[in-house]
Amino acid sequence: MTTTPAPRALLQAMFQAAIEAAQPSHCIPPHLPPAPEGRLIVIGAGKASAAMAQAVEQHWPGPLSGLVVTRYGYAVPCVRIEIVEASHPVPDAAGMQAAQRMLDLVGNLQADDTVLCLISGGGSSLLALPLDGISLEDKQALNRALLASGATIGEMNCVRRHLSAIKGGRLAAACHPAQVITLAISDVPGDKLGDIASGPTVGDATTCEDALAIVRRYGIDLPNSLRAVLESGRGESVKPDDPRLARTRTTLVATPQMALEAAAAVARAAGITPCILGDSLEGEARDVGKVMAGIALQTAMRGQPFPAPCVLLSGGETTVTVRGNGRGGRNVEFLLALGIALDGQEGIHALAGDTDGVDGQEDIAGALLAPDTLQRAWALGIKPRESLDNNDGHGFFQALGDSVITGPTLTNVNDFRAILIT
């Protein structure tokens, strides 16, 4: 007879399984290429790139060298590959310098050389190299504006690609005529290759005009230097049919779907039916929370569309249009809106967290929700709706002791949401 763990423990076990499924030590070795006739150069960027580089070193018997850039606090020991740390989600000078050094490193390769590029979420900010005429300060201001605008990750990365000297296929073009093999851990809805770290080794079909349309759509006030680059077409990215990309290929080694399936296996082992609703859900975090609450209530009260006990699993990347001045992130925003809509319904527990360990700009992965969450908040004098209006999800759940803190997970397959209906 299966003994079902307590809801809180089961939710945390599912979250941990999702993170573990995307660990580079598991997913990198099976995809390493054969040894080239020439040199192997390892480059990369993202929150998982250092751990990916370590996995390459540990399983590559021959000579190699390289450089990867990861988020502050996410470095791991490597011997032959240099690890540089930089800022995320707003870029800094360390990331800019690392990006220039990376271009220099691959700038004089031969046809018998192979470049192994290790890409994961966060690379858009960590690998920041503005086009000529654009300052780092302008790129920083743009990043802040995009993060607060409510734009989707695909829209944000479209704008970034057209203002970068390294994204949108430019890094792969710089490697020509060498072979370029990209191993990617996906953190984007639909696993779109051009959106993972803004696609530095992937041809880009979008245009400067597409980027300008996004800027207009969200009312983003562009500095003159950035607007000039887009309006002139000087920021055009490398297109998919560019001959310099003929010897490139990309393999997804870990994805949000794989992480959800790992969590589903934990649920089944506990006698709970897992229901994966999607690995690429998007939209305003608070709106997604309301919709998920409706599904959860229908399940709990009417056994539709799934009979309880079950767990509703989903991934993807929601957005937050920042209107308050609280401490927030998209996962805790989702969870707070979910809790308000559930209004203390018995038998429904939830966890929402970012698999990289950072929700928003704080080293807090997410939080847990229980039927008594709102009641405990009111007892402390905290008004849930005011917290939501102020985008203060972290402040809300931290006061209750319900934050989920993992530390650096060394991977990133985006958001994880689990709603347990007992």
Side-chain angles (χ1 to χ4, degrees):
M1 180 177 174
T2 301
T3 301
T4 304
R8 190 181 185 102
L10 179 56
L11 288 166
Q12 290 177 312
M14 286 188 282
F15 186 41
Q16 190 57 45
I19 292 169
E20 190 65 25
Q23 283 301 311
S25 58
H26 297 158
C27 61
I28 289 294
H31 298 284
L32 291 177
E37 292 184 13
R39 295 176 294 167
L40 180 73
I41 307 296
V42 180
I43 58 176
K47 296 172 187 174
S49 64
M52 295 168 84
Q54 186 183 66
V56 172
E57 277 199 356
Q58 291 173 346
H59 292 85
W60 187 264
L64 59 80
S65 61
L67 167 70
V68 304
V69 57
T70 192
R71 189 180 191 267
Y72 288 119
Y74 281 58
V76 297
C78 286
V79 177
R80 294 172 286 171
I81 302 168
E82 182 183 354
I83 309 297
V84 173
E85 291 180 301
S87 176
H88 178 278
V90 177
D92 66 359
M96 184 173 71
Q97 292 160 7
Q100 184 59 62
R101 289 181 57 205
M102 204 173 291
L103 282 181
D104 295 341
L105 185 65
V106 302
N108 199 22
L109 298 178
Q110 305 302 314
D112 61 356
D113 296 327
T114 291
V115 176
L116 182 62
C117 188
L118 309 173
I119 293 296
S120 61
S124 293
S125 299
L126 295 166
L127 204 62
L129 187 64
L131 285 167
D132 288 343
I134 298 175
S135 69
L136 176 61
E137 290 74 21
D138 283 347
K139 285 294 292 287
Q140 290 170 329
L142 173 67
N143 256 42
R144 292 188 185 98
L146 286 169
L147 289 166
S149 69
T152 67
I153 188 63
E155 290 169 326
M156 287 193 277
N157 286 351
C158 176
V159 177
R160 288 163 165 164
R161 283 194 296 271
H162 292 91
L163 296 168
S164 172
I166 196 167
K167 302 183 181 80
R170 293 178 179 89
L171 180 56
C175 297
H176 180 77
Q179 177 182 223
V180 179
I181 297 172
T182 301
L183 302 183
I185 294 178
S186 172
D187 72 322
V188 299
D191 303 327
K192 296 175 183 175
L193 301 182
D195 282 334
I196 306 171
S198 296
T201 60
V202 179
D204 173 39
T206 66
T207 66
C208 285
E209 182 51 45
D210 292 329
L212 278 169
I214 292 164
V215 168
R216 289 192 290 266
R217 187 177 306 148
Y218 292 96
I220 296 169
D221 186 18
L222 276 188
N224 290 335
S225 62
L226 275 61
R227 185 172 295 278
V229 167
L230 295 179
E231 289 180 345
S232 69
R234 188 165 65 83
E236 206 48 80
S237 51
V238 177
K239 300 309 169 194
D241 60 355
D242 192 295
R244 293 171 296 174
L245 305 186
R247 299 187 67 210
T248 67
R249 64 179 172 85
T250 299
T251 300
L252 289 170
V253 299
T255 65
Q257 178 67 19
M258 295 176 190
L260 293 175
E261 288 173 357
V266 171
R268 280 192 208 95
I272 303 293
T273 301
C275 309
I276 298 178
L277 300 180
D279 68 342
S280 55
L281 302 189
E282 297 184 86
E284 278 285 330
R286 61 181 64 195
D287 294 339
V288 176
K290 291 177 187 176
V291 171
M292 288 291 196
I295 297 172
L297 288 169
Q298 185 73 2
T299 300
M301 300 171 71
R302 305 191 187 282
Q304 298 171 329
F306 316 104
C310 65
V311 60
L312 310 179
L313 298 170
S314 64
E317 183 164 346
T318 60
T319 53
V320 175
T321 302
V322 179
R323 297 184 177 89
N325 58 6
R327 298 165 45 238
R330 57 182 184 261
N331 287 287
V332 287
E333 180 112 347
F334 159 85
L335 202 63
L336 183 50
L338 175 76
I340 291 170
L342 290 175
D343 195 25
Q345 174 66 38
E346 284 299 316
I348 301 180
H349 302 253
L351 182 152
D354 198 317
T355 54
D356 67 2
V358 179
D359 186 33
Q361 298 189 40
E362 300 208 18
D363 293 333
I364 302 173
L368 288 147
L369 179 79
D372 65 349
T373 293
L374 299 188
Q375 184 177 357
R376 288 187 290 124
W378 290 322
L380 293 174
I382 300 170
K383 299 178 180 178
R385 290 185 186 278
E386 289 185 4
S387 294
L388 183 61
D389 290 341
N390 197 33
N391 303 117
D392 194 32
H394 282 314
F396 179 88
F397 288 106
Q398 204 166 28
L400 298 176
D402 288 340
S403 297
V404 173
I405 300 174
T406 61
T409 65
L410 307 181
T411 191
N412 183 17
V413 283
N414 224 319
D415 297 342
F416 173 88
R417 294 178 291 269
I419 304 173
L420 177 63
I421 301 153
T422 58

